[in-house]
Structure formats: structure tokens, C-alpha cells
Amino acid sequence: MKIDRRCFLSLVIGGAVGTTLTPVPWKLTDDIAIWSQNWPWTPVPEDGPSKFVKSVCTQCPGGCGITVRTIGDRAIKIEGQPDHPVNNGSLCPRAISATQHLYGPSRIQGPMKRAGERGQGKWEKISWDEAIKTVTEKLAELRTRGKPHTVACISDTDGNGSSYLMDRFLQAYGSPNFIRTPSSADAQELALYLSCGRQGTIGYDFRKADFILSFGCALMDGCDTAGQVMSAFGEQDKKTRLVQIEARLSDTAAKAAQWVPAKPGSETALALGLGHVIVRDGLYNKAFIDNHGFAFEDWQDDAGNTHPGYRSLVQDHSPDKVAKATGLSEKVIESLARSFARAHRPVAVSGLGSAAPDSLDQALAVFALNALAGNFQKPGGVFLIDEPDYLSWTEMKIDKTASAGNQHPRVDGAGSEKFAHTRYLPNRLPEAINSAKGDSPVQALLVAGGNPLYTLADPRAAQKAFEKIPFIVSFSTFIDETAEQADLLLPHPHFLESYQDVPTPRGMAHTVVSLARPVVKPQYDTRHMADVVIQIAKNLGGFIENAFPWKNYEDFLRKSLSDQWKTLEKKGFWSDSRSRDTSLDKIFRTSSQRFEFFPMSKFAAMNGNGNKKAGVEKIELPGNIDKLPLVLVPYTSMRISDGAVANTPFMTKTLDANVVLENDVFVEINPKTASEYGLSQGDKATVKTQAGRAEVRVNLFEGIMPGLVAMPAGLGRTGFSDYIAGKGANVYSLIAPAADPASGLNAAWGARAAIAKA
Amino acid sequence: MSTQSDNQTAAAGNRSSGWVVFVFFMIGLVASIISGWVAFPKLLYSTKQQPIDFNHQVHLEQMGGQCNACHFFREDGSFSGSPTLEECKSCHMYPMTGNENEQKFIDEYVNQDKEVPWLIYAEQPPCVFFSHAAHVRGADMQCATCHGDIKNSTSLREYQENRLTGYSRDIWGKSMLRLGEPDHGGRRQKMNDCAECHLKETGSKGNCFQCHK
Amino acid sequence: MTQQPQHTKTKRYGMVIDLDKCTGCGACMVACYAENNVPFRQDESDKMRSLNWIRVMKVDNGKPFPDTQVCYIPMPCMQCDGQHMEGHSPCVSVCPAVATDYDQTTGIVSQIYTRCFGCRYCMAACPYHARKFNWWDPKWPADMEKYLNPDVSARMRGVVEKCSFCYHRYQKARDKAYVEGREELHEDEYQTACAQACPTNAIAFGDLHNPEHAVYSLSRSKTAFRLLERLNTNPKVYYLSSKSWVRRKADNYLEGENPEQIREKARKAAATH
């Protein structure tokens, strides 16, 4: 027998034939195919019983009810809470994508102290005990030195439990400097206070109104009332007429029955012009004005001086003059006035979520239109909502140091003789610090919500001021622009991890209080800022400690809310219909007990000029019109978060390629204007204003008034994560604040600008 | 010509004879068949033991003979699968018997608040959606039809894991090349098996989304 | 073609989007990303590479200021029925891997990622650009994998994905119905994530065959239209708009053509067939 190559080949062939008769090739082929589907880096989310937890979104003051789908301790998806009185199941993209912030890379994962220079981004992890000790020691030292009033606290709200606790802490400690970050609410609140004598918010019954006259409100462009307005719009039959007054065809304007492109900054003139037509034609609600109006006609004060009333004020605003100021035709103004006055349930709205702040005069002039219609406390009308009063407080005693500290004037000048009725002037804070001689008037700053280094007008001046503050503590959940410049980070949990009471959102026509609650366990080593403040108070001892008889924030909420806590726990919200009281007898709490058209007495106190007619009709923008021939206006978008907290990656993903391309933001410009400057679609260009300059790209848009440059608010971040930082420019860094002489609030509705091809 | 013939003869003389070649062929054939049917499955699958042994029969007696006492449908229609520690704890917070497996369960899992890492024989890949509700409630099928007579078992079978795919041998390959039924008495649970049954029972193999996600 | 199971009544799930109500807020897109584990990258501005199961297109009437009008058009997968309504949709007919098929029971076009090998014929075939290719393996930074939905599997690099009309929600709704001993689903039990999220209720979703569902009458209303209707792809996504310039945007109409007449003609032709 000879064994040779043939035998070997034969063996192999036999093996091969045999193998095909076994499962080996077939099973292996199949298994390899299956193996190739299972890459270990493709995640397989864990399954389990799923639950739906009711809570409320606190990312903006909108107060929308949410339902969070959870699996185990994972928050999977946020959906609108269908029976919530604010939003009826509607949500904006920001709320829906909040889980990305919860688990995202911008979270501060535990208390940290600065390791390098300010803003260098070098941090050292510390324990909560050490962090709280550091703050306590600093505050104790300032108090010992008799300087408690040099401590300031910035918050994005003054309406919920934790901001009350912050304010209470400052009072017990001895500082008057609790400062709320600016918003479009400021002028509205002041207008409400002056004309109706009430501290609170103006509610509009959007669901039942049949005519909504919006003076540039970002009703469907990311306003703080997105949930309520969008759900109302969705429910409305097409009989409700929405009229949007705005120079740019925003999404609200696009959905409106009528778009009225008035020149920006001319809203006050237009409101007065509409008033002129309504008064001239006798279309106003006489019964309301006779019984509940004051200063409609000329009036005499106690000293016998005669002051002009509303009728005289609007005399000057004949349609032809207003047409010139607004760029609208007289016909449009006349017909707009008449259709407003003839509507059954009209509301005139101003300052809801607008990108540019209103002047006090605009707020008053627009609010007066509602008085002409006389539709207060009626379905489809305007409701006056008081400041939250659902928390009950124990009396507190303060010591001499605190009392002396509280007597000091506020560092931002609010409540001073000049701005007697303004409660907060955050935009004056940088100037107050920068212009102070010697030590900064703020020695320690607690940033308890809000992101002032991003949201303040002219962030560069704010940055300069912050550099002078020796001690900055940030309670931010995320590494935002302000936290980047802080000395100490005391991270507050995400809203899906903690309790938070949420007062009635702006624009709501009745009181609704909601409760945000822990949906998942805290992901990182965070502590509720109110818990931290209670701990600091306890460490400081004495009267300060006594002012905080609660274990923690939850304990405070339970005790302060008493019976309502149970409802909140169970339902997630409670609503109070007392605010829907239809009687007009007691709603105006001014000295005249009536609605005051142009509250002149207050004006006198503010302006030192009692004879001044309608106040300031238009806030003039500074700058040389020849060098800066265009006007830059900010705009808000539902897909760009313009507040303290930046976009989630999902929101940025939804942006069109002609809004953000790579890291460039587009400015919108009319093709006519573009051709004047030799600009074509997509061109790189430089926008220059007095306050600064920005590299942008150009998006030609027919829907914007020639002569304007519109830029979205919310970009140009440095903080948060790589998913948003470095994209575009911050429009507010291009718009220097312009103080409203009547209120001191920032009323810069734009900035003079030039654009050139880059 | 003769040269050529000589060469042929010489070549034939040098070559192995036909039957030798055939024997080699058969050796290759038989060896590969044996190794393919016997050794390959042993090589392809690794054997794993369950973390603790479990007696279905005893539990079923205690729970009134109902599988759904532990393997139940949730209100939303989803199937709970294996009980969680929480559910086991409702009876086994403390030892009820002298059983060593129970003691092990309490020591290692209950006291340490750790979920038992059961190896699930019928675990499908993550791209598969399987509706227990449709089969058990919609089509009135018995658990044993697919899972075998597991309720009368007193001990857990060994778990065989495919080294390539990482999935259980129960669903893919207990009965290789689809010859015969799996030895645990239930059904094969690969896609074609599902389709085959669906075709028979409903008249259609079904669409892709019916089982894939 | 697969046969009809005996016990299930044929459904034709579809969508009617009221463009008069769509404000372009983007909630539908974000809800879809969250529901369907759609990944994201640092730069998403290259829209040819950006993964979306539903996009919102912005169109305008081309008129100068101040007569300009804009309209947003949300575009999910159109779930085409194909020319003769038998499921021969453009993508299904070209897929060489049977990774996409047409479900006769619901009319929904599937996409099975583990089956797809990424040839992208379907993308070329789809006239609506509804399909997207995974150029990169998805990455969820920090702890973001925690929010992933187990009902939808994560995709890998090299496969095509698209809108599924949230089929997993249909499956879950059916599970619930089975457990409650029902065969039929209520209209609100099965809603896509985008329809549920739309804050102005612009998106209606339901069975186009069921007269009790809102989409039944909405899809038959006078102002209803579909995109690129003349391709005979028979999409199940309908749009409503009171504006004729918007309806004109739905197809590449020539100057002299009247979209309404063409649509009316097609409707009559379909009725006589």
C-alpha cells in the first residue's frame, strides 16, 4: 500500500464532502451572521416594567405638566401631561429633550472648588461639608466686618419656594440684594402694578379669546408660555383671530390670521394710535371706563393741577402720524383698531417671551387697549393674577447687624428714589460694580439659578464686573457660562431628580401651582440649593438659624403647603379658581381703586416730570446712523433655548442648515438689503454694532423688513458641552443695554448695526 | 508508443491503488461527519450553570399550579418574565425550608439586595420583539408548547451558550439542522421556526415588524 | 405577497397633517428622536448626513416683503402603498435583502436593521428622502445611554433607517388589548410619538379605513393632498392646507397646470377603477 498525494487529497475531499453533510458550514455561516449583528458598542437598553410619573418642567417659567416614562430608575421619555391645566398635554422640544440634559456631559457631578485661574476650567473635587464650610466662613467673616449688605444673590425667579428661602436667608443675614435675572416679564409686572395696583402677573384667556392682538410676543417662537399658548392654538377653531405685530415673519406671524409688519420700536406709537381710533370713534367700553377707569379724561390732583388723561394722550396719535412712525398704512391702522374694538372677547398682549424687552410705556399702552375693551375678569379676557401666596411663613426675628445691612440701598438701584417701583434692575448691576471706587460693592455673589453671564445685556461688561467680585458661588446644575467663572460650584440637582414648587406661569388666566418631583434618583453628588442654604443658616447660628426651622426643602414644602401638599403629591398640581372672580369691584387696588390709564402720579414720582405726556414713546438706539445704517434685532426660536440653560443636542439637531451651519450662525436679511451690501445666500459676513462684532453667515429671507438684520438668541455659548459651545454668537453681546428712563429696566429693542462681506 | 505505455505502467505502479484512495476518502468523510455532528456542537457551546438551582415543581405546588403567579402579565400588556428579587422576597425574606439553594439565595441575593443573574433559556436577541400576550392570550397557547414541561421539573437544566453568538442553545440549535424536536420538549425558537408555525396557524408567515424592532 | 391572516381586519394606518396648525416648533422631531433612539452628533448641519425619521421642511410663497408667507411641512416616511395599493412601494421593490417589507395588515413599511447590509438602493428609490444611512456608529456621551428606549433597537453603522410609524407602540397597544381580552384598538391607544407630541394637534394619526378615526374624514376633505401624487406611490401621509400656494408646492406642477383639477381627475379615475 502506497500513501501518496492522491490519498491525502482524497482524505481532504472526503472531509469536505463529509463536512457538508454536517451542520458545521451551515450553522457557522448562520452564527457568524448573527455574531456580526452584535457589536458590543451598540447599546442594548435594559427592559423592565415601565411607569409614567407626573411632574412639571422647570426649565423655563412656563410650568408645563409632564409625564415621564421610566423603566427602573431610568427616565426614558418626557411627554405632555394631558390633563394639566397649563399645557393640556402640549410641550415644546426643550421639555421633551430634557433627559439629554439629565444624563448629559454638561452636568456638574459634585461640589468643586476652583483650582486654576478663574475661567480656566480647572476644578478640584471637594466634599459637601467642605463646600458648605467655605461659604459659611466667608459669609460669617463679611458679617463680622459689618458688611452683610455686600452679599448679593442672583436668581432666575422670585416666585417659588427656593427663591423665597434665598431671599429670606439674605434678610436674616442682612442684605437687601436679592436680584432676579431680566426677562420680558419685568415691564409687564411694573405696568400691572402701576395701572392696577397689584403685584403679580397678567393672565390672558387665550383659549376663549376671539381676537388676540400680539405686539411682537413670541407666542409660538419659544416664549415662556409655549405650552399654554400652543395647546390653546391647537384647540381653537379657526374663528379666533390672531394678529401679530412684528417686523419679521416669525413662526407666530406665520400662523397669525394677519401679520402686521410695523417697524421695530414703534409698538408704543401703534398701541396709542389704535387707542386714538377707538376713542375717536367712540368704540370703547363706556361702562367699564365710567365705573372702573381713572385718568381716561383729564384729571386734577389734590394740589389742583390738571393732568392730561388718556383721551388727550392719544389725541396726538392720529393714524397719519402713526403710519409714519410704524411704516403701516392708515387703512391698516384704522381697520385694526376697529376689528379689535368690535371683537367680542379681544385681548391685547405684549412682552410675552419677546426676544427684545418692552419699555414700560409699551407695556402700559398695550395694557390700556384691554381697558378700552373693558374685558377684565371675563372668559376670553384679561385676568389679574396675584403673586404666589400658597406658602405660609413663620415670623422671623433679625439681629441688629441684619437690620443695619437691610437698610442699605440695593446695589442695583432698584427701589431707589429714581426707580421707586422697580423691584430688580439686574442690568444695572455690572455698571454699579464697574463704576464703584475701591472695593466692589458686591463681595460675595450667590448665583442661585439663572446664568447672568450669558443672559445679561452686554455680557462683556458683566464679565468685567464679575472679575471684581472676590467670591462667586454657583448653584448651577450645569457647567454654564456663569459657573465657568465661579470660585465654588455647589451643583443643584436636575429638575427630574428633585422637588420644586412651580407657581402660576405668566399668561395663565387662573392660579395653577404645580410640583416638580424626583422622577429618578440623583445621578450625581448634588444637593438642592435650598437644602444648602438651610444648612448654611444653621451653621451661622443665632437669629439666622432660628429663621430656618426646617430640616430641608422637602420638610419646608410639606409644612408650608400643609393640606395642599397632598393634592400636589397626588395630582401634581392644584388650581385655584378664585382668581377667576368675575366681579370688578375689588380687583383694582390703586389709590383710585380703578384702572389707571397712564398712572401719572406714579410717573411723576419716577420722572420728576409730572407734565410729561405719554412718557417715552420710543427708546432711541445709540450710534451713528451713517456708520451703522442697519438695525440688528434679536429673535427667539422654539428650537433654540435662549435662557440660562443651553440647547440639548436634539434641539440643535432640528435646526435647518440655513440657521446654523457648522459653527456659523445665520442672520436673516431681506434680499433687497443684501443686494445693497453685495451679499448672497450663505455668504460669510461680519455684523458690527457699538457693543461688538460677530462673524456670521447670511440667510436671505423675504419675510424680514428691509434694513433689519435678525439674529437668533440662544447661541454663542462657551459653557455646557461640545454639542452647543462654540456655535454661533450671542446676540445680546451685540446689543448694549438702553435704560428705560421711566423704570430703569433695560429696553434696548435692538442695536444700530453694519454688515459687510467677510 | 511503447515509451508512452511504459511510462503509464510506471506511473500506475507508483500510484496508490483505487481502494486505498477510497479508504482515505471514507476516513475523511466519516471523521468529518463524526466531528461535525458530535464534536462541533460540543465545541460550539459552552456550558454554564445557573447561579442557584430552582425547583419549579415545588413552587408550583405552593402557588396553586399557576405559572402566572410568578410569570405574569403587567397591566400594560407586557410580560414580566423571570420574577425579580422584589417578587421573590415577598415569600423568601427569611428561609422557609432547610433547602440549601434557598439558603444560598437568601445569603447571596436577598441579604445583599442583588438581582439573581438567571440565565434565560429562551432569551431572544435585542432586535426581536416577542409578544407573550399575543400567544398566550390571543392564541390561547400553553406555556409548555414552547418552553416544554418546565413546570414539572425539579431542577434547572444546564445552560448552553453559543460561543459565537452568545445566545442560548435552546433558541438556536438544540435541534441542529431542524431534525426532531429539542430535548426539553418545547419548540425550536429560531425565526424560521416562528414563521413555519405562523404559516400553519394563521396562513401567513407574518411581516418583518411583527417580530423585529 | 404574504397572505392576510384570517382573524385580523386589514388596517391602513395613515397620518393627516394640518399645515395650517403646524408652527414648525420641532416637537415632533425631538419626540421622535427620544422615542426611537435616534443618535446625534456634534455637528448636525450637514443635512445629507443627519439622521431624521421626521423632518420639518420650511417653504415660502416666494413673494417679496410684506406679502411673504411661510409654511412648515413635517415629513415622516410616507408609508407608500404603491401604485396598485398592494404594497409595491418604491423602497420595498428594490431591496435586495428583504430588509424592508410592506405589512399587509397595517400598511406600514418596515425596516429591519439587522437584515440591512447598507446598499442604499432604497434611499435612491425613495422620492421623499425619508430614508437615512448610518455613516457612523452611534455614540451617546456621558450617561445618555440611560434614556434609550428598549422598545426600539439601536442601529449600527452601515444600515439604513427610517420612520416606522412607531410600530412598537402598535405592538404594545395590541399586547394591552390581548391582556384585556380585546381584538380592536381604540384610536388613542396607538398614536405615533410625533402625533402625540404635536403641541398644536396638527398631526392626526389613525386607521384610514376606519370611519370612526379622525384621519378617515380628514384625509377625504377638500383641502387634503399628498406629496408627489403623480408618481403613484400612494403615500399614507396626507396634508391639509387652506392655502392654494402650499398645495401647489406638493408636486412639480407646470405653470399652466391646476393642481386641484389634476387631483380631482385622479380621484375620479381611482373611483372608477
Side-chain angles (χ1 to χ4, degrees):
Chain A
M1 190 178 96
K2 208 166 159 68
I3 298 169
D4 63 2
R5 192 167 151 271
R6 284 181 73 205
C7 299
F8 179 72
L9 283 175
S10 178
L11 182 79
V12 171
I13 292 167
V17 172
T19 305
T20 60
L21 301 176
T22 68
V24 174
W26 324 115
K27 180 72 182 158
L28 274 182
T29 310
D30 197 19
D31 282 0
I32 287 168
I34 295 159
W35 168 77
S36 77
Q37 297 170 357
N38 293 334
W39 301 121
W41 54 83
T42 305
V44 179
E46 204 181 314
D47 206 350
S50 91
K51 274 197 292 188
F52 291 88
V53 187
K54 284 179 185 177
S55 188
V56 57
C57 173
T58 69
Q59 296 184 100
C60 86
C64 293
I66 58 171
T67 310
V68 188
R69 181 181 173 216
T70 61
I71 292 179
D73 191 41
R74 303 194 295 127
I76 304 292
K77 171 108 186 288
I78 299 174
E79 288 162 5
Q81 193 181 321
D83 55 354
H84 197 281
V86 171
N87 56 318
N88 244 335
S90 297
L91 280 188
C92 74
R94 193 172 165 194
I96 298 170
S97 60
T99 47
Q100 289 205 307
H101 272 327
L102 169 69
Y103 297 120
S106 51
R107 285 291 300 271
I108 300 172
Q109 305 202 349
M112 293 197 282
K113 71 176 182 193
R114 179 163 59 84
E117 291 296 305
R118 264 206 194 150
Q120 220 181 359
K122 286 189 182 162
W123 302 96
E124 188 188 313
K125 276 190 182 167
I126 52 172
S127 69
W128 273 105
D129 286 345
E130 191 189 338
I132 289 171
K133 199 174 139 220
T134 312
V135 184
T136 312
E137 279 172 3
K138 180 75 190 173
L139 295 182
E141 179 222 312
L142 285 169
R143 225 170 116 82
T144 324
R145 281 167 47 203
K147 291 192 166 179
H149 57 279
T150 62
V151 174
C153 175
I154 293 184
S155 168
D156 54 348
T157 172
D158 62 351
N160 65 15
S162 44
S163 65
Y164 284 154
L165 284 172
M166 283 287 170
D167 198 7
R168 185 179 174 93
F169 174 77
L170 286 192
Q171 281 177 42
Y173 173 80
S175 168
N177 293 315
F178 179 87
I179 303 167
R180 191 181 68 185
T181 51
S183 78
S184 56
D186 299 339
Q188 299 304 311
E189 280 183 10
L190 191 51
L192 172 67
Y193 175 69
L194 294 179
S195 54
C196 301
R198 291 170 64 139
Q199 288 289 4
T201 55
I202 308 169
Y204 307 95
D205 191 358
F206 289 120
R207 286 202 166 80
K208 295 208 176 104
D210 67 348
F211 193 104
I212 301 168
L213 182 60
S214 154
F215 286 77
C217 295
L219 295 176
M220 292 168 209
D221 293 81
C223 76
D224 296 346
T225 48
Q228 47 167 313
V229 174
M230 304 249 282
S231 73
F233 179 72
E235 284 163 30
Q236 276 160 4
D237 49 23
K238 287 172 184 173
K239 281 179 205 151
T240 307
R241 197 169 164 79
L242 169 64
V243 177
Q244 179 74 355
I245 299 159
E246 196 174 4
R248 175 182 170 268
L249 182 61
S250 64
D251 293 345
T252 311
K255 286 299 118 186
Q258 190 184 352
W259 170 39
V260 181
K263 284 183 196 165
S266 72
E267 291 85 354
T268 314
L270 180 57
L272 293 172
L274 298 177
H276 175 99
V277 177
I278 293 170
V279 171
R280 183 195 68 198
D281 295 355
L283 297 171
Y284 54 90
N285 185 332
K286 290 186 186 68
F288 176 82
I289 286 168
D290 289 348
N291 297 322
H292 304 288
F294 173 75
F296 182 74
E297 307 292 350
D298 295 354
W299 57 284
Q300 275 192 334
D301 61 20
D302 293 343
N305 301 322
T306 305
H307 298 277
Y310 184 76
R311 190 193 285 278
S312 312
L313 286 169
V314 296
Q315 201 66 48
D316 283 351
H317 292 81
S318 55
D320 57 321
K321 281 189 188 167
V322 173
K324 247 181 234 161
T326 57
L328 301 169
S329 73
E330 284 179 51
K331 213 177 110 192
V332 166
I333 296 164
E334 294 263 0
S335 83
L336 199 54
R338 269 193 288 276
S339 38
F340 178 79
R342 284 183 185 149
H344 295 290
R345 300 177 301 279
V347 288
V349 195
S350 163
L352 268 184
S354 320
D358 294 356
S359 66
L360 175 59
D361 293 287
Q362 181 184 329
L364 285 168
V366 174
F367 201 31
L369 291 175
N370 290 310
L372 290 184
N375 60 343
F376 282 85
Q377 307 294 113
K378 283 202 275 206
V382 173
F383 289 85
L384 308 184
I385 308 297
D386 278 330
E387 277 186 315
D389 60 351
Y390 55 88
L391 296 168
S392 56
W393 292 92
T394 50
E395 285 295 314
M396 77 173 166
K397 283 185 194 148
I398 57 170
D399 62 13
K400 270 187 197 157
T401 321
S403 157
N406 289 336
Q407 306 281 311
H408 269 84
R410 285 173 61 92
V411 60
D412 62 357
S416 65
E417 206 178 313
K418 205 169 165 197
F419 307 116
H421 302 290
T422 312
R423 296 210 281 181
Y424 315 104
L425 287 169
N427 277 303
R428 295 179 68 87
L429 182 67
E431 196 202 319
I433 296 172
N434 289 334
S435 64
K437 289 184 186 109
D439 281 351
S440 160
V442 177
Q443 287 293 308
L445 178 67
L446 310 174
V447 184
N451 179 7
L453 284 185
Y454 181 80
T455 57
L456 284 180
D458 200 356
R460 266 180 286 260
Q463 169 81 30
K464 218 176 116 194
F466 272 50
E467 279 163 17
K468 292 189 178 171
I469 303 173
F471 186 68
I472 301 174
V473 180
S474 169
F475 290 92
S476 179
T477 307
F478 310 104
I479 187 77
D480 60 27
E481 288 75 13
T482 312
E484 280 182 328
Q485 302 296 330
D487 302 300
L488 203 57
L489 302 178
L490 307 179
H492 179 76
H494 188 266
F495 79 91
L496 293 173
E497 301 168 332
S498 56
Y499 280 110
Q500 186 75 62
D501 55 309
V502 178
T504 312
R506 279 204 301 134
M508 262 319 274
H510 67 280
T511 305
V512 181
V513 178
S514 315
L515 180 71
R517 65 182 114 201
V519 173
V520 292
K521 285 190 204 116
Q523 298 295 307
Y524 307 111
D525 187 16
T526 51
R527 268 194 208 180
H528 200 291
M529 62 169 102
D531 291 356
V532 175
V533 164
I534 291 173
Q535 189 57 49
I536 293 172
K538 289 192 195 305
N539 291 358
L540 285 169
F543 284 103
I544 307 178
E545 183 178 3
N546 295 340
F548 291 84
W550 307 284
K551 270 190 291 200
N552 54 28
Y553 182 61
E554 193 187 328
D555 183 40
F556 155 76
L557 279 184
R558 278 173 195 277
K559 285 180 181 152
S560 307
L561 286 160
S562 54
D563 290 348
Q564 282 146 357
W565 173 262
K566 277 183 204 138
T567 320
L568 283 176
E569 273 267 82
K570 208 173 144 211
K571 247 170 86 181
F573 68 88
W574 60 267
S575 53
D576 184 358
S577 54
R578 271 177 309 169
S579 49
R580 303 210 66 147
D581 190 359
T582 50
S583 159
L584 291 175
D585 292 336
K586 284 177 189 159
I587 67 160
F588 301 115
R589 298 187 195 136
T590 49
S591 52
S592 60
Q593 302 287 304
R594 283 156 175 259
F595 178 90
E596 297 195 353
F597 284 91
F598 282 84
M600 298 302 291
S601 51
K602 306 283 166 29
F603 252 70
M606 288 185 299
N607 281 352
N609 182 2
N611 293 322
K612 204 159 188 277
K613 281 185 126 185
V616 192
E617 203 169 279
K618 184 175 177 182
I619 304 286
E620 291 299 337
L621 300 179
N624 184 332
I625 199 159
D626 295 325
K627 284 188 182 157
L628 303 169
L630 301 173
V631 172
L632 171 74
V633 288
Y635 76 86
T636 59
S637 159
M638 200 61 103
R639 303 187 198 173
I640 305 177
S641 168
D642 61 339
V645 179
N647 259 16
T648 54
F650 277 167
M651 289 175 76
T652 310
K653 187 179 163 85
T654 66
L655 294 177
D656 284 335
N658 59 5
V659 177
V660 168
L661 183 62
E662 291 170 339
N663 280 340
D664 295 330
V665 62
F666 285 71
V667 292
E668 286 180 0
I669 185 166
N670 191 286
K672 258 192 216 160
T673 315
S675 70
E676 283 170 34
Y677 295 90
L679 295 165
S680 346
Q681 177 66 31
D683 276 356
K684 287 201 174 197
T686 309
V687 173
K688 211 168 68 183
T689 66
Q690 273 195 330
R693 56 192 293 147
E695 305 301 317
V696 299
R697 278 177 191 264
V698 171
N699 182 33
L700 305 193
F701 182 41
E702 289 284 3
I704 185 163
M705 184 179 277
L708 297 185
V709 179
M711 192 168 162
L715 296 169
R717 308 264 178 179
T718 59
F720 296 89
S721 66
D722 297 339
Y723 290 85
I724 185 69
K727 286 190 198 295
N730 181 0
V731 67
Y732 294 116
S733 69
L734 300 175
I735 303 176
D740 183 345
S743 65
L745 292 164
N746 175 31
W749 49 269
R752 293 216 169 282
I755 191 164
K757 204 166 173 170
Chain B
M1 288 304 276
S2 68
T3 321
Q4 193 189 6
S5 157
D6 284 351
N7 286 349
Q8 275 177 349
T9 320
N14 287 336
R15 275 195 309 221
S16 51
S17 57
W19 66 267
V20 176
V21 173
F22 179 71
V23 166
F24 271 92
F25 178 82
M26 286 311 286
I27 291 171
L29 188 79
V30 172
S32 63
I33 287 176
I34 291 172
S35 58
W37 283 101
V38 182
F40 171 67
K42 290 213 167 92
L43 272 173
L44 185 62
Y45 294 99
S46 65
T47 303
K48 287 186 171 175
Q49 289 301 325
Q50 294 282 1
I52 33 177
D53 197 21
F54 186 87
N55 186 331
H56 270 94
Q57 202 180 43
V58 165
H59 281 86
L60 229 81
E61 277 165 21
Q62 297 295 317
M63 306 305 283
Q66 296 298 313
C67 297
N68 64 9
C70 294
H71 309 288
F72 54 90
F73 285 105
R74 302 192 193 103
E75 246 177 59
D76 65 2
S78 60
F79 183 65
S80 65
S82 296
T84 60
L85 184 70
E86 204 53 42
E87 283 148 14
C88 298
K89 266 195 333 199
S90 61
C91 295
H92 294 281
M93 199 64 208
Y94 304 102
M96 303 168 79
T97 61
N99 185 292
E100 61 174 300
N101 277 304
E102 191 197 13
Q103 194 55 50
K104 194 175 164 196
F105 170 67
I106 287 168
D107 291 346
E108 291 179 18
Y109 300 99
V110 177
N111 292 342
Q112 296 179 29
D113 201 27
K114 219 170 76 182
E115 287 291 338
V116 186
W118 297 114
L119 301 163
I120 314 290
Y121 300 107
E123 179 92 338
Q124 290 281 343
C127 62
V128 175
F129 168 84
F130 179 81
S131 168
H132 272 93
H135 292 87
V136 178
R137 296 293 175 87
D140 254 338
M141 286 170 73
Q142 296 302 308
C143 305
T145 311
C146 299
H147 294 287
D149 191 20
I150 213 161
K151 69 176 181 184
N152 291 322
S153 70
T154 52
S155 175
L156 292 177
R157 290 182 282 130
E158 64 180 20
Y159 177 91
Q160 289 178 296
E161 187 186 276
N162 188 312
R163 290 182 203 269
L164 264 172
T165 65
Y167 296 113
S168 158
R169 188 172 177 178
D170 268 44
I171 59 163
W172 282 353
K174 193 72 206 178
S175 155
M176 282 199 170
L177 281 194
R178 322 168 60 70
L179 302 168
E181 291 298 322
D183 60 8
H184 61 78
R187 291 248 172 106
R188 302 174 307 235
Q189 292 161 358
K190 198 161 159 35
M191 188 169 93
N192 288 340
D193 305 318
C194 299
E196 189 183 299
C197 185
H198 270 237
L199 187 63
K200 208 172 95 196
E201 300 292 332
T202 71
S204 156
K205 282 179 171 180
N207 63 79
C208 301
F209 261 169
Q210 209 165 323
C211 314
H212 283 285
K213 60 181 187 185
Chain C
M1 206 46 37
T2 47
Q3 266 183 306
Q4 202 44 245
Q6 298 303 306
H7 62 275
T8 321
K9 243 169 63 192
T10 311
K11 294 180 181 65
R12 226 175 125 248
Y13 280 104
M15 203 175 261
V16 182
I17 306 178
D18 186 346
L19 301 181
D20 291 343
K21 281 197 170 170
C22 173
T23 67
C25 72
C28 53
M29 288 192 269
V30 168
C32 174
Y33 301 155
E35 179 77 24
N36 292 303
N37 301 336
V38 176
F40 54 91
R41 304 179 71 246
Q42 276 184 30
D43 178 20
E44 287 274 357
S45 60
D46 180 355
K47 297 298 169 189
M48 298 298 286
R49 298 277 190 271
S50 179
L51 289 162
N52 276 294
W53 287 15
I54 180 168
R55 295 157 296 150
V56 179
M57 311 287 282
K58 189 178 184 178
V59 294
D60 62 52
N61 63 351
K63 289 196 179 166
F65 180 90
D67 299 317
T68 323
Q69 290 183 7
V70 297
C71 179
Y72 288 99
I73 307 181
M75 288 179 62
C77 168
M78 299 286 145
Q79 310 288 353
C80 303
D81 280 334
Q83 187 163 7
H84 304 294
M85 311 288 283
E86 82 305 19
H88 200 68
S89 81
C91 52
V92 171
S93 55
V94 298
C95 180
V98 205
T100 181
D101 83 337
Y102 180 88
D103 173 13
Q104 296 289 341
T105 58
T106 57
I108 295 173
V109 177
S110 68
Q111 177 69 22
I112 308 302
Y113 320 111
T114 44
R115 187 105 191 177
C116 173
F117 55 72
C119 71
R120 289 173 276 150
Y121 277 175
C122 55
M123 288 173 69
C126 175
Y128 303 102
H129 291 270
R131 295 173 159 270
K132 295 291 160 69
F133 184 66
N134 280 269
W135 290 94
W136 300 276
D137 263 314
K139 254 186 221 150
W140 285 272
D143 289 323
M144 283 200 206
E145 278 184 16
K146 285 192 184 171
Y147 74 64
L148 294 182
N149 181 3
D151 301 334
V152 180
S153 50
R155 280 75 68 187
M156 55 296 279
R157 182 179 56 186
V159 302
V160 170
E161 61 183 68
K162 71 157 193 89
C163 156
S164 63
F165 265 3
C166 288
Y167 198 88
H168 61 283
R169 288 185 164 214
Y170 175 66
Q171 298 278 42
K172 287 175 79 86
R174 288 217 308 169
D175 271 5
K176 185 157 190 279
Y178 279 129
V179 165
E180 289 170 8
R182 285 181 289 132
E183 277 278 306
E184 284 302 310
L185 299 182
H186 304 303
E187 187 179 7
D188 59 352
E189 275 185 313
Y190 170 37
Q191 288 292 317
T192 59
C194 54
Q196 184 197 33
C198 180
T200 57
N201 300 328
I203 307 179
F205 180 80
D207 180 6
L208 295 165
H209 276 174
N210 189 339
E212 283 164 26
H213 287 200
V215 291
Y216 181 88
S217 48
L218 287 174
S219 65
R220 285 162 175 78
S221 62
K222 277 224 152 151
T223 55
F225 64 92
R226 296 178 290 180
L227 300 181
L228 304 179
E229 255 168 319
R230 290 186 292 185
L231 292 179
N232 279 324
T233 52
N234 274 316
K236 281 192 289 293
V237 176
Y238 290 77
Y239 295 92
L240 303 176
S241 176
S242 58
K243 294 180 174 134
S244 62
W245 73 263
V246 174
R247 298 199 292 270
R248 210 181 162 80
K249 287 272 176 191
D251 210 332
N252 302 305
Y253 295 107
L254 298 175
E255 214 162 285
E257 283 179 328
N258 182 344
E260 320 299 331
Q261 270 175 6
I262 291 171
R263 238 170 250 137
E264 193 51 41
K265 226 163 127 190
R267 227 170 265 152
K268 273 184 192 151
T272 50
H273 260 293

